[in-house]
Amino acid sequence: MRLFISLRKLYRDRLYTLTSLFSLIILISSCSFILIYVANELLYDHHHQNHSRIYRISSVWNSPTSTDQMAITNGQVGEYLESNYSLVSRSARVSLIGKNPGFMWREQQLETKDFYRSEPSVLDIFTFKMINGSVGQALSKPGDLMINESYALKMFGTTDCLGERIETDGGSLQITGVYEDFPQNVDLNINGLMYQSFDQRSYDQFAFYTYVLLQEDATETELEGALAETSIQLFGDNPKYDEDIRLKAESLNGLHFINDIKVDNPKGSLTNVKLMILAGLLLIIIVTVNLTNLNMVKSLEGLKKIALHRIMGASRRVIIMNFMLELLIIWVLAVIGSVFLLDLGEGSFTSMTGIVLTPVHFIYIGMFYLGTLFLCLFSGMIGIFYILSARPAQGLRKFYNPALPGDVIRKGLVTFQFVVASVLVTTFTVLLLQQAFINKKDLGYNPEGLMLLRVNDQTKQRMFIINELEQYLGAGHVAAFWQPQMGKDELMFSSIKLISEDGESQEVVSNDMIIDENYFEVLGIHKKKEELPPELSSQPMAYLNQTLIDQIVYDGRVAKFEYQWGTGGVVAGVVTDFHYQSMHSRIQPLVMVVDPEISNTWNGLYIRTRMDQMPRIRRILQDQFAEDVIDLMPVDQKLEAYYSREQSVLLLLGSFMVMGLVLAALGIYTVLAYLFRYRMFEIAMRKIMGADFRSLVVLFGREFVSVAVFTLLLALPIAMLTKDQLLAAFAYQVDLHWTIHLIPIGLLLAGMFTVVLFVALRAARLNPSWILHNE
């Protein structure tokens, strides 16, 4: 019986029902996606059981002009730490040399991704959940290969593949273990592990991720002390290293948000996580404020009925139970609607964030659903307790006093709602302007019509690829280069000695790459200086970028360069700075060594072409070299990939911002609509006494004047602080004056007063005699 009465009441008061239902559906579905994103980012590497005790050791290279941190160390660091410090339980080296080899199985070429060479101790540090094979025996001898479930199914069609052999350029490998795929949120994804033994030759190679597992009672401070001593022992007096090299530990728990380390895997952004949390809080605040205000003004309208029920003997418990039943019905309907929206938006969410929903995510969502139930009941109970605090006599004479504490609470909640909304809108504006700035900034070369082709280490037809392309496009349209494909950075950096004509020298740390003679012409990079005496033209030569030249402290012209391992040549000239990496970091020093013989060794090509020529280029590659091509993409697309994370967050924030503003406007309109219905008698009397449209605007607008003032005073400084945090992720930032924040805040407040004008216009059109007749 109570259920039927509650359903009838909700049907009769459709404005309240639809507003509450729509608000809750948007809240639950949107915040479910936000919760998935935030949990995915904050719980990175929690798959590994000992994640809180795992540290990755990085190397910091200090030169007189710069400091660079690399995610890699030489092969001696982990072994030295484990042998000399009891606080280190285990250590493991994961080699970047020989990463992702080409496999042959039954005369079929198999492409690999995230395949590494490592030692058995890596199985003691990371968590491998075995499907087939034993953790203790799976990586115990040369030739052992462990693969994950996805690659087992891809290669063999089954996980029951122990003993199968795969051929590589270095010999034969045997499958000795199959393990479950790592989840999406791990820093180092491992699809396959090959056994590798390390000897003293690895001690001089900076090409390893080094991980250590601490004892349970060891602390990070103790590890830092051990690393300081180890740095001195291994690099302090070693003549092989001219730079000051220091070791640094990064906890696996926070590694995902450290973006300034070179030769590393792609990282996340803590700022983006905070923005998503802010968007979720905005939606929660808006819906909570809407439901609270809606229940309060709805209760005002029903004040007379509740007063009669109380006079007739209805207890507070019965009245509260009736309200809770109505709220419970609305929540159940909202959950059903949000499940539908969640299923509808799953594909779009995955395409934007790369996060695939798993059963673990649905556990988080279920817990959040229960949280929204308490939120729904809480917001509804504020309204009912506010009404129950009034005496029945006040309800019978439709008492309304805007100075009641409930009214102050309502205005405070609306102010808080608009402050958070203003911060979100200004955040979206700043990201939008920064993205526009990036799109318009001069890169130092022309990316239009430029294609990037990357090939793997097993490619045999390198010279023929160049010949085929040049035969079709003509000379001067193809530029070859070689650079290591390690980590997120396109380039490695090395210690280089720059020598002047007078014999002065300076050690610098610089990125380096090998190019052909066409590189600058094809990319459109300007040579600022080109000074190469004819008698030196037969020697290896290199070009330096302007950033590297600016680090030189001596006065003479840089004439020669020399690597720490002894090779070198002459400096042929200086080129203008160009953005060969993203704008998250400043342009780094760069040495470009020209190699006339690179046509046989290159691993990348820049191709200057037109759109109408692309089908023929793709056909050339597909017909002859399809199995060898790693990637072929427009450079514009590659540049967009640098900022895909910001673009995805921008799109999500924009979506949530629109939802939040719609909910805020709907909430204000609904509250004003109820106040309008409650004060219809007062409005009629005012109109009879001569009140015009302007008077009605003042009547409804003064409800929100204080809201607008406090919103402006609170939102402006918060928005300015948020802007600084957002732009800190970019080395090159758009220049924004503080007054730019006034525009979105002003538009938001203008939207609020537009709703006020709409309600006032509706009141001005009412016939006072009809209102008094019905009263």
Side-chain angles (χ1 to χ4, degrees):
M1 185 63 180
R2 283 185 178 178
L3 178 62
F4 175 76
I5 294 174
S6 297
L7 289 172
R8 186 178 64 180
K9 288 174 65 178
L10 292 174
Y11 177 76
R12 290 178 61 183
D13 199 348
R14 287 185 289 276
L15 177 63
Y16 167 78
T17 303
L18 292 177
T19 302
S20 301
L21 192 58
F22 179 76
S23 299
L24 281 173
I25 289 176
I26 296 299
L27 170 70
I28 297 174
S29 56
S30 299
C31 285
S32 295
F33 287 123
I34 292 175
L35 180 63
I36 293 169
Y37 176 85
V38 172
N40 183 81
E41 295 294 293
L42 295 182
L43 297 180
Y44 245 75
D45 286 308
H46 279 55
H47 162 77
H48 302 299
Q49 294 179 358
N50 297 318
H51 60 88
S52 61
R53 296 162 49 204
I54 300 174
Y55 288 80
R56 191 186 70 187
I57 311 302
S58 59
S59 55
V60 181
W61 297 57
N62 300 296
S63 71
T65 56
S66 65
T67 297
D68 296 282
Q69 184 175 355
M70 287 202 299
I72 54 179
T73 68
N74 67 7
Q76 187 179 7
V77 172
E79 183 180 314
Y80 185 89
L81 286 170
E82 185 175 352
S83 301
N84 293 275
Y85 296 94
S86 60
L87 61 94
V88 176
S89 173
R90 296 290 278 164
S91 69
R93 292 159 285 196
V94 178
S95 176
L96 298 183
I97 301 174
K99 175 185 175 183
N100 298 332
F103 286 165
M104 289 292 295
W105 183 69
R106 294 182 180 177
E107 299 183 355
Q108 292 183 353
Q109 180 80 21
L110 301 176
E111 294 185 1
T112 59
K113 180 182 179 182
D114 295 333
F115 274 63
Y116 296 92
R117 300 180 186 274
S118 188
E119 52 196 331
S121 58
V122 73
L123 304 180
D124 299 327
I125 295 178
F126 295 125
T127 300
F128 290 84
K129 299 179 180 179
M130 302 301 294
I131 298 175
N132 233 329
S134 168
V135 172
Q137 301 296 324
L139 203 68
S140 59
K141 61 185 182 300
D144 285 355
L145 170 64
M146 295 173 58
I147 58 176
N148 64 8
E149 182 179 4
S150 293
Y151 264 87
L153 296 175
K154 178 181 177 181
M155 291 178 177
F156 310 107
T158 177
T159 57
D160 188 15
C161 55
L162 297 186
E164 293 283 354
R165 288 198 169 272
I166 293 177
E167 300 300 323
T168 69
D169 289 343
S172 177
L173 300 176
Q174 183 178 26
I175 305 296
T176 54
V178 179
Y179 56 92
E180 293 181 8
D181 292 11
F182 280 10
Q184 307 163 69
N185 54 342
V186 291
D187 179 70
L188 183 67
N189 183 50
I190 301 177
N191 291 327
L193 267 181
M194 298 164 282
Y195 176 90
Q196 177 72 52
S197 60
F198 300 99
D199 54 28
Q200 290 192 355
R201 289 177 297 178
S202 68
Y203 291 0
D204 296 330
Q205 297 173 325
F206 276 78
F208 304 94
Y209 290 143
T210 300
Y211 294 90
V212 296
L213 175 67
L214 299 188
Q215 301 284 359
E216 292 186 3
D217 57 346
T219 64
E220 184 173 347
T221 303
E222 292 175 330
L223 178 60
E224 290 174 351
L227 290 177
E229 295 174 359
T230 303
S231 301
I232 296 173
Q233 291 295 324
L234 299 185
F235 310 117
D237 299 323
N238 195 328
K240 296 179 180 179
Y241 307 108
D242 296 312
E243 292 79 15
D244 177 24
I245 301 177
R246 290 291 178 264
L247 299 174
K248 185 177 180 181
E250 306 290 354
S251 173
L252 203 63
N253 280 344
L255 189 60
H256 179 57
F257 296 116
I258 303 177
N259 285 276
D260 55 355
I261 303 179
K262 295 178 180 293
V263 199
D264 206 351
N265 299 302
K267 299 300 182 184
S269 169
L270 190 58
T271 300
N272 290 343
V273 173
K274 292 178 181 178
L275 287 177
M276 298 304 292
I277 293 175
L278 178 64
L281 289 176
L282 167 67
L283 292 173
I284 292 174
I285 291 168
I286 287 177
V287 172
T288 303
V289 170
N290 284 353
L291 292 179
T292 302
N293 288 339
L294 193 58
N295 281 288
M296 290 177 69
V297 295
K298 177 179 178 289
S299 300
L300 281 174
E301 189 184 34
L303 192 59
K304 186 174 182 178
K305 294 179 182 178
I306 294 175
L308 286 173
H309 281 300
R310 294 179 64 186
I311 291 174
M312 296 297 293
S315 64
R316 289 173 177 261
R317 186 180 66 84
V318 172
I319 296 173
I320 292 174
M321 289 297 295
N322 289 336
F323 267 78
M324 290 183 66
L325 184 57
E326 293 177 19
L327 294 170
L328 184 61
I329 293 172
I330 291 174
W331 178 80
V332 171
L333 294 175
V335 168
I336 295 173
S338 65
V339 169
F340 174 76
L341 285 183
L342 195 64
D343 181 65
L344 194 65
E346 180 181 352
S348 299
F349 176 77
T350 300
S351 64
M352 284 189 291
T353 63
I355 300 173
V356 180
L357 270 64
T358 64
V360 176
H361 292 139
F362 288 104
I363 295 176
Y364 300 149
I365 293 173
M367 296 172 62
F368 177 71
Y369 278 11
L370 292 177
T372 58
L373 173 60
F374 290 107
L375 183 146
C376 183
L377 296 176
F378 171 76
S379 59
M381 288 301 99
I382 290 179
I384 187 58
F385 283 123
Y386 169 58
I387 293 306
L388 291 176
S389 65
R391 296 188 300 274
Q394 293 175 330
L396 291 177
R397 61 175 181 263
K398 296 192 73 172
F399 177 84
Y400 176 76
N401 180 5
L404 284 175
D407 228 57
V408 175
I409 294 174
R410 176 167 54 82
K411 289 182 180 180
L413 290 174
V414 172
T415 301
F416 188 46
Q417 169 186 5
F418 269 88
V419 168
V420 179
S422 298
V423 173
L424 184 61
V425 173
T426 54
T427 296
F428 178 77
T429 304
V430 169
L431 287 175
L432 202 61
L433 293 173
Q434 176 65 22
Q435 195 65 43
F437 168 77
I438 290 173
N439 293 335
K440 293 180 180 179
K441 193 177 187 306
D442 182 17
L443 300 175
Y445 65 97
N446 181 16
E448 294 182 7
L450 197 62
M451 299 293 295
L452 173 63
L453 171 68
R454 300 304 299 266
V455 297
N456 62 27
D457 293 336
Q458 284 72 44
T459 302
K460 307 298 184 183
Q461 308 291 339
R462 298 173 195 260
M463 183 178 292
F464 293 105
I465 292 176
I466 293 180
N467 292 339
E468 288 284 336
L469 291 174
E470 287 189 338
Q471 182 177 351
Y472 173 60
L473 298 172
H477 287 77
V478 180
F481 64 92
W482 183 91
Q483 59 192 48
Q485 301 181 54
M486 302 169 66
K488 69 179 181 181
D489 289 296
E490 291 295 336
L491 303 178
M492 289 282 289
F493 67 86
S494 306
S495 174
I496 300 175
K497 181 184 293 185
L498 298 178
I499 306 168
S500 73
E501 292 176 319
D502 301 327
E504 294 182 276
S505 65
Q506 179 180 333
E507 294 284 346
V508 296
V509 175
S510 172
N511 291 330
D512 61 306
M513 64 187 302
I514 302 173
I515 61 174
D516 67 4
E517 299 92 336
N518 298 326
Y519 190 85
F520 302 120
E521 178 185 352
V522 173
L523 270 71
I525 298 172
H526 176 63
K527 296 179 182 178
K528 298 182 67 175
K529 296 179 182 178
E530 190 162 17
E531 303 171 301
L532 184 62
E535 64 272 14
L536 297 178
S537 60
S538 60
Q539 298 186 32
M541 59 182 183
Y543 288 86
L544 315 180
N545 70 348
Q546 186 61 47
T547 298
L548 180 54
I549 292 296
D550 292 340
Q551 293 187 2
I552 303 301
V553 295
Y554 54 73
D555 297 329
R557 184 182 76 85
V558 182
K560 297 180 181 180
F561 70 97
E562 183 179 310
Y563 287 103
Q564 63 186 36
W565 48 83
T567 61
V570 297
V571 175
V574 180
V575 299
T576 56
D577 285 333
F578 62 97
H579 289 275
Y580 57 90
Q581 295 169 317
S582 78
M583 293 188 193
H584 291 101
S585 57
R586 292 200 168 275
I587 296 176
Q588 299 295 311
L590 178 62
V591 175
M592 292 164 282
V593 180
V594 180
D595 182 6
E597 305 298 327
I598 197 176
S599 57
N600 291 313
T601 58
W602 59 269
N603 62 7
L605 291 180
Y606 281 113
I607 307 169
R608 178 70 65 182
T609 182
R610 302 189 309 267
M611 289 302 298
D612 60 301
Q613 295 173 322
M614 282 306 302
R616 174 68 183 278
I617 293 174
R618 291 186 182 277
R619 192 158 53 249
I620 291 173
L621 298 173
Q622 290 171 358
D623 290 346
Q624 301 185 38
F625 318 109
E627 73 277 6
D628 292 329
V629 173
I630 287 181
D631 204 359
L632 175 67
M633 70 169 71
V635 172
D636 285 338
Q637 183 178 331
K638 179 188 174 185
L639 294 175
E640 290 178 2
Y642 282 141
Y643 314 107
S644 59
R645 186 175 61 196
E646 283 76 15
Q647 291 172 350
S648 298
V649 171
L650 187 65
L651 185 57
L652 287 173
L653 275 180
S655 302
F656 296 141
M657 182 194 70
V658 171
M659 293 177 189
L661 296 182
V662 169
L663 290 176
L666 181 63
I668 291 175
Y669 171 76
T670 307
V671 169
L672 287 174
Y674 270 106
L675 289 176
F676 168 70
R677 281 162 52 174
Y678 182 75
R679 303 176 71 173
M680 287 179 67
F681 182 81
E682 178 187 351
I683 293 170
M685 294 301 299
R686 286 177 177 271
K687 293 189 69 175
I688 290 173
M689 297 299 293
D692 55 5
F693 174 70
R694 187 178 67 175
S695 301
L696 294 175
V697 171
V698 173
L699 175 66
F700 288 102
R702 67 187 180 191
E703 285 269 327
F704 298 100
V705 171
S706 58
V707 172
V709 172
F710 281 106
T711 295
L712 187 61
L713 293 176
L714 294 175
L716 186 59
I718 296 176
M720 293 175 65
L721 291 174
T722 304
K723 180 208 74 172
D724 295 336
Q725 290 190 0
L726 285 174
L727 297 183
F730 296 89
Y732 300 90
Q733 305 171 359
V734 62
D735 185 18
L736 298 176
H737 195 265
W738 68 270
T739 54
I740 196 70
H741 300 298
L742 295 176
I743 298 176
I745 296 175
L747 291 175
L748 194 63
L749 296 178
M752 178 179 68
F753 283 107
T754 300
V755 176
V756 173
L757 289 174
F758 178 77
V759 174
L761 181 62
R762 182 183 172 190
R765 291 178 176 177
L766 285 178
N767 187 341
S769 60
W770 179 83
I771 296 174
L772 294 177
H773 174 75
N774 281 278
E775 282 291 321

